[in-house]
Amino acid sequence: MSLLDITMIGVGAMIGAGVFALTGFAAGIAGPAITVAFILNGIVAGFIAISYAELGAAFPEAGGGYLWVKEALVDPNGFYAGWMSWFAHAVACSLYAVTFGVFLTEFFVVFTDLGTSFVLFDVITRHIIEKTIAAIIVVAFAYINYRGAEETGSAEIVVVVIKLVILGLFILFGIMATFSTPTWPAKFVSRPSFAPEGIAGIIGAMGFTFIAFEGYEIIVQSGEEVINPGKNVPKAVFYSLFIVVPVYVLVAFALIGGLKITPELLTVADIGRPPSEVAVWQALQELGELGLIRAAEQFLPYGAALLIIAGLASTISALNATVYSSSRVSFAMGRDRVLPGTFNQIHPEKKTPHVAIFISMIIIVVMAVTLPIESVAAAADIMFILLFLQVNWTVIKMRSTHPDLPRTYTIPYMPWPPVIGIVLLLILLPFIIYELGLAAIGIGSGNEGLVALSVTAIWMALGLVIYYGYSAEKEAEKLEEETPIVVAERSPASRETEIVVPIANPESVESLLQTAIDLARDRDAEIHVISVVTVPQQTPIDQGEQFIDDEREVIDQAISFVETSDADIPVKGTIRVGHDVARAILNTVEQYDSELLVMGWRGKQRRRRDFVLGSNIDTVVTNAPCDVLVKKIGPVKDIESILLPTAGGPHSTFAAEIAQSIARTTDAQIDIVRVLGPTASEEDWADAKERLDATTADIDEEIPTEQQVLEGTNVADTIIDQSAEHDITIIGATREGLLEQFVFGAIPEEVGHRAENTVIMAKRDLGITSKAARWFKRWSP
């Protein structure tokens, strides 16, 4: 993932259900001073984020805080870091599920005939419906994670942009509504003051909404899938905070300033006092998670619809991320044997941690159904704060225990920033517990707070029992396991030029490698054969190593074929594990600075509009920083004649070089052709003859060549007819592929689709020009 992708993940996690569901509750705690609470939360989050930036850059792997604490602090700190992280993400997921249920129910109330039904206006019945929807959506996303489906980086960016645009409109119209009322300052400083509950109310609101600022935990969880994580993870952590904090502050200001106390609003909020006796923050306290929707109805055109859409999109995005992250933490603990081995099970077909997903789903559903939304948020806050305390202490401890750790980002003025973070968290924690237990400054009844606090205490006690009854004993028994070798080196001699050959189908191995051998012999190059084992996004990359045995046979077959070819070509084989085939291939090319990539293609017609040759081939050809050949394998035969259509330009020149390399090792003849239409002028014929002469001159004299200008109404049809008389056709990319929906261009792809014999499409890496092509292709419709 790029810096933009990972930043949007952080922003999407922070601007999630928190801003939609918790802002109204927090306003009821702090009053208009909620704006100060958000600013202070941003400052506190900054002192935590700085620790995550250093450790996330140094340890770019899944696991986050659990792995760091386990590495640096004595037991049972490591166990409890994972135990709390699992519970915190599960509880956060239940918050998103409950919010989804509330917003979807509100959608039916506002926009369908059900809104006029007494059923949805009955408080108890509506509550049951909301909780039922929450349970269903959790089960749905657990099933999606089990199947291995994932939300793409581009989809995440789209969801985040939609949320930011809608919240931007809310802020704009809310501020306009605020300043259009001459007495607007009274909303912030009266009834009874800017901070009606004083500093205790501000800190209580901070603790209550702190869950909204923990997106950097999800950023570092994805560290192993980030491009250049040493630089991009710290940047994403800080960039996401810089975006999110102003959004929260401005939303709170627009909400307090723009909302008007009307009799209709008081009826909805079930407040039996006249408008003159009710402050805005008091109404928001009763409106709860629907506060933003009610405010948007007043001052934003189509406000309810926009806020409901943003809330649903936000919770769906967050649900997928937290189901994934909660199950991943428990899976990591099972892998480390601090939880029973069943958590470490991978489904043989889906290759996902299905048991960890199922158990996490049960916990999330139980929390979502049994606890009020405010209690869910507060319970998660306690766990996250305890985890962040451990992480801040870990970053200090690792300066002495891991002095040689490669730190691409280091915290300045150590140890003061993490120490300040610890102090600030210790200030927040008692207020959350006080708010839950006594409800003196909180929302809802004291019993609700006591239920959440009791659940939290039970979870911590259960962790203590599991650790001393199971985990400590298993850790003592755990033996270090050898990591399977995924790189098999052969032929120790190496050469400066490398040809990469990705293989997947055993039937095409020899054909692809024969082409690679011909090129390697002519270019004095070595061959690098790679095979890719893919695992779903929900499965950590290192767990894919258990599936590499199936690929070893193909790699061994490829290496053996090269070694027995009498070509004296150095060859090595690599099995890579990743979430995406194309990305794994590109990583190999970049890592080894390879000069040429030879890929196979089945020649099937495209099935989707957005893919031409296939998603993996399209991505690799478009983005590879090297020359690329894609071979459509036809009937196996000795190569005696090569058809070389030419249109001029660097790609045609590259195709001629490939034809020459193959002809030199096979003693084949090259037939160079140029196709002109029936209406071509004499100048066109003369130009075609010059191009043919130039191409022929570039080919060694000892290679037999013939040249011919062909006349045809359709260039592709003419070339395809000629290809039937030749053993192989080699054709360079054409320029229309730059801006249109093509990879090599219309003519080469048509020839590749329809020609019966083998076709090789050639594309030269043009440096800056290729980068421009990739940019245009990415952003063109």
Side-chain angles (χ1 to χ4, degrees):
M1 292 182 287
S2 66
L3 175 60
L4 176 62
D5 293 330
I6 199 70
T7 301
M8 288 298 101
I9 285 177
V11 173
M14 293 188 210
I15 303 181
V19 70
F20 298 99
L22 302 182
T23 304
F25 288 122
I29 299 172
I34 182 180
T35 51
V36 174
F38 282 150
I39 293 173
L40 294 176
N41 254 348
I43 294 173
V44 175
F47 283 106
I48 314 304
I50 201 168
S51 297
Y52 271 83
E54 177 170 313
L55 295 175
F59 294 93
E61 54 185 300
Y66 163 60
L67 293 181
W68 308 334
V69 174
K70 183 184 67 172
E71 182 76 16
L73 303 184
V74 297
D75 291 328
N77 280 283
F79 170 83
Y80 260 117
W83 188 249
M84 291 185 298
S85 179
W86 179 25
F87 186 72
H89 283 96
V91 176
C93 188
S94 66
L95 167 65
Y96 304 142
V98 172
T99 305
F100 180 87
V102 170
F103 274 58
L104 187 60
T105 304
E106 183 66 13
F107 171 84
F108 288 121
V109 169
V110 174
F111 298 107
T112 71
D113 292 339
L114 293 176
T116 60
S117 169
F118 73 93
V119 174
L120 289 180
F121 281 108
D122 177 81
V123 175
I124 297 177
T125 305
R126 174 166 178 159
H127 180 75
I128 294 173
I129 293 173
E130 292 170 353
K131 295 292 188 177
T132 303
I133 293 174
I136 292 172
I137 197 67
V138 170
V139 173
F141 274 98
Y143 179 72
I144 289 172
N145 274 260
Y146 158 73
R147 290 294 302 269
E150 60 173 302
E151 190 177 80
T152 65
S154 57
E156 175 70 15
I157 293 174
V158 170
V159 170
V160 172
V161 169
I162 290 174
K163 290 190 290 187
L164 289 176
V165 169
I166 293 176
L167 289 177
L169 292 173
F170 180 88
I171 292 168
L172 175 62
F173 281 86
I175 291 177
M176 290 171 57
T178 300
F179 293 150
S180 66
T181 305
T183 59
W184 70 266
K187 293 183 177 181
F188 292 89
V189 298
S190 63
R191 295 179 184 169
S193 66
F194 177 68
E197 299 292 346
I199 187 66
I202 294 175
I203 297 178
M206 288 174 61
F208 182 70
T209 58
F210 193 69
I211 187 177
F213 294 86
E214 54 81 29
Y216 38 78
E217 167 76 9
I218 296 179
I219 290 176
V220 300
Q221 287 276 8
S222 305
E224 65 186 35
E225 288 115 31
V226 179
I227 299 172
N228 195 0
K231 292 184 178 180
N232 286 336
V233 166
K235 287 181 180 179
V237 167
F238 294 124
Y239 289 171
S240 58
L241 275 179
F242 291 152
I243 294 171
V244 166
V245 175
V247 170
Y248 266 87
V249 173
L250 290 173
V251 165
F253 180 84
L255 178 64
I256 297 288
L259 184 66
K260 296 180 180 179
I261 304 300
T262 63
E264 294 79 11
L265 184 71
L266 296 181
T267 299
V268 173
D270 196 24
I271 298 176
R273 289 176 287 161
S276 59
E277 298 180 7
V278 180
V280 169
W281 60 272
Q282 292 172 327
L284 288 171
Q285 180 178 4
E286 299 302 324
L287 291 170
E289 61 269 29
L290 297 177
L292 258 69
I293 295 177
R294 298 296 175 239
E297 286 177 333
Q298 293 186 356
F299 55 72
L300 177 62
Y302 307 103
L306 291 175
L307 264 294
I308 289 173
I309 290 171
L312 291 174
S314 175
T315 49
I316 286 175
S317 175
L319 273 165
N320 191 50
T322 46
V323 169
Y324 162 62
S325 58
S326 63
S327 60
R328 189 160 184 167
V329 172
S330 61
F331 169 77
M333 296 179 73
R335 180 182 57 194
D336 291 340
R337 299 182 185 175
V338 296
L339 286 181
T342 185
F343 283 87
N344 189 34
Q345 291 183 13
I346 298 289
H347 195 277
E349 295 181 5
K350 305 302 180 183
K351 299 181 182 178
T352 52
H354 56 294
V355 175
I357 291 172
F358 177 77
I359 296 176
S360 295
M361 178 195 74
I362 297 299
I363 295 173
I364 294 167
V365 169
V366 170
M367 297 291 288
V369 170
T370 59
L371 292 183
I373 190 170
E374 58 270 30
S375 298
V376 167
D381 278 327
I382 291 177
M383 291 299 180
F384 276 122
I385 287 178
L386 292 174
L387 175 63
F388 295 157
L389 283 169
Q390 288 183 307
V391 170
N392 269 27
W393 177 242
T394 294
V395 77
I396 298 173
K397 185 75 172 175
M398 278 195 173
R399 287 296 182 94
S400 58
T401 60
H402 296 67
D404 298 327
L405 190 67
R407 294 175 171 87
T408 55
Y409 171 80
T410 55
I411 299 174
Y413 307 112
M414 277 289 283
W416 295 112
V419 168
I420 294 172
I422 290 173
V423 172
L424 294 175
L425 289 173
L426 289 175
I427 293 173
L428 279 179
L429 187 59
F431 278 90
I432 298 179
I433 297 175
Y434 176 66
E435 183 183 326
L436 281 172
L438 301 180
I441 59 171
I443 35 89
S445 68
N447 289 335
E448 291 176 351
L450 286 173
V451 168
L453 187 59
S454 300
V455 169
T456 303
I458 290 171
W459 184 261
M460 297 297 286
L462 180 61
L464 201 65
V465 172
I466 291 177
Y467 177 76
Y468 286 106
Y470 176 85
S471 304
E473 180 181 350
K474 288 297 180 182
E475 282 198 329
E477 296 175 354
K478 186 170 66 174
L479 300 175
E480 205 168 43
E481 297 180 353
E482 180 183 0
T483 301
I485 298 173
V486 296
V487 178
E489 296 284 356
R490 300 288 180 90
S491 302
S494 62
R495 300 177 182 178
E496 292 185 1
T497 303
E498 178 179 277
I499 300 174
V500 174
V501 185
I503 57 175
N505 183 2
E507 296 179 0
S508 63
V509 167
E510 294 186 3
S511 179
L512 280 177
L513 286 175
Q514 187 58 61
T515 298
I517 290 170
D518 293 340
L519 299 175
R521 180 184 291 157
D522 191 52
R523 295 172 171 229
D524 193 29
E526 65 178 358
I527 296 175
H528 186 174
V529 184
I530 69 168
S531 180
V532 181
V533 175
T534 57
V535 292
Q537 185 71 29
Q538 289 77 5
T539 304
I541 286 178
D542 59 355
Q543 291 301 300
E545 294 177 358
Q546 62 185 286
F547 300 105
I548 67 173
D549 288 340
D550 294 338
E551 304 299 323
R552 288 188 183 276
E553 184 176 347
V554 180
I555 287 288
D556 290 341
Q557 173 190 346
I559 292 174
S560 177
F561 179 79
V562 176
E563 290 180 335
T564 58
S565 65
D566 298 327
D568 193 27
I569 303 295
V571 58
K572 61 184 177 183
T574 300
I575 301 175
R576 299 201 72 139
V577 181
H579 296 309
D580 180 80
V581 172
R583 185 68 258 169
I585 295 172
L586 291 171
N587 284 345
T588 302
V589 172
E590 293 169 3
Q591 178 180 347
Y592 293 95
D593 196 22
S594 308
E595 294 186 9
L596 179 61
L597 179 66
V598 181
M599 302 183 68
W601 174 48
R602 291 176 294 177
K604 291 186 177 180
Q605 291 284 349
R606 56 188 174 188
R607 296 181 179 180
R608 289 179 51 181
R609 179 182 179 274
D610 44 341
F611 296 144
V612 179
L613 308 180
S615 59
N616 292 323
I617 297 179
D618 284 13
T619 301
V620 171
V621 174
T622 304
N623 297 283
C626 68
D627 298 336
V628 180
L629 300 180
V630 172
K631 182 176 183 179
K632 196 285 287 285
I633 300 172
V636 178
K637 58 178 68 177
D638 293 334
I639 299 177
E640 297 179 355
S641 63
I642 300 173
L643 179 65
L644 179 64
T646 181
H651 301 302
S652 288
T653 301
F654 177 48
E657 294 174 6
I658 300 303
Q660 177 177 260
S661 296
I662 294 175
R664 184 177 285 124
T665 59
T666 61
D667 297 325
Q669 175 178 301
I670 301 177
D671 292 340
I672 311 167
V673 300
R674 168 100 173 158
V675 181
L676 295 178
T679 59
S681 64
E682 292 184 4
E683 292 182 358
D684 293 332
W685 280 84
D687 177 71
K689 185 67 170 63
E690 288 181 7
R691 290 180 182 271
L692 291 174
D693 289 341
T695 301
T696 303
D698 289 336
I699 296 175
D700 290 346
E701 293 181 357
E702 66 268 17
I703 297 176
T705 60
E706 288 189 4
Q707 56 178 262
Q708 184 180 6
V709 179
L710 302 175
E711 184 177 321
T713 56
N714 183 285
V715 176
D717 287 345
T718 304
I719 295 173
I720 291 169
D721 290 341
Q722 286 292 313
S723 70
E725 303 175 7
H726 295 77
D727 302 311
I728 185 171
T729 300
I730 303 175
I731 184 169
T734 54
R735 294 185 178 182
E736 74 269 20
L738 182 66
L739 293 176
E740 300 180 21
Q741 186 66 26
F742 298 107
V743 176
F744 284 95
I747 294 173
E749 289 164 16
E750 185 71 14
V751 173
H753 281 307
R754 294 170 50 200
E756 294 182 1
N757 290 329
T758 298
V759 177
I760 294 179
M761 293 177 284
K763 191 170 188 178
R764 167 153 278 163
D765 180 43
L766 301 178
I768 295 176
T769 305
S770 288
K771 292 179 181 178
R774 294 172 206 150
W775 188 90
F776 278 115
K777 186 171 183 63
R778 177 178 298 177
W779 294 106
S780 60

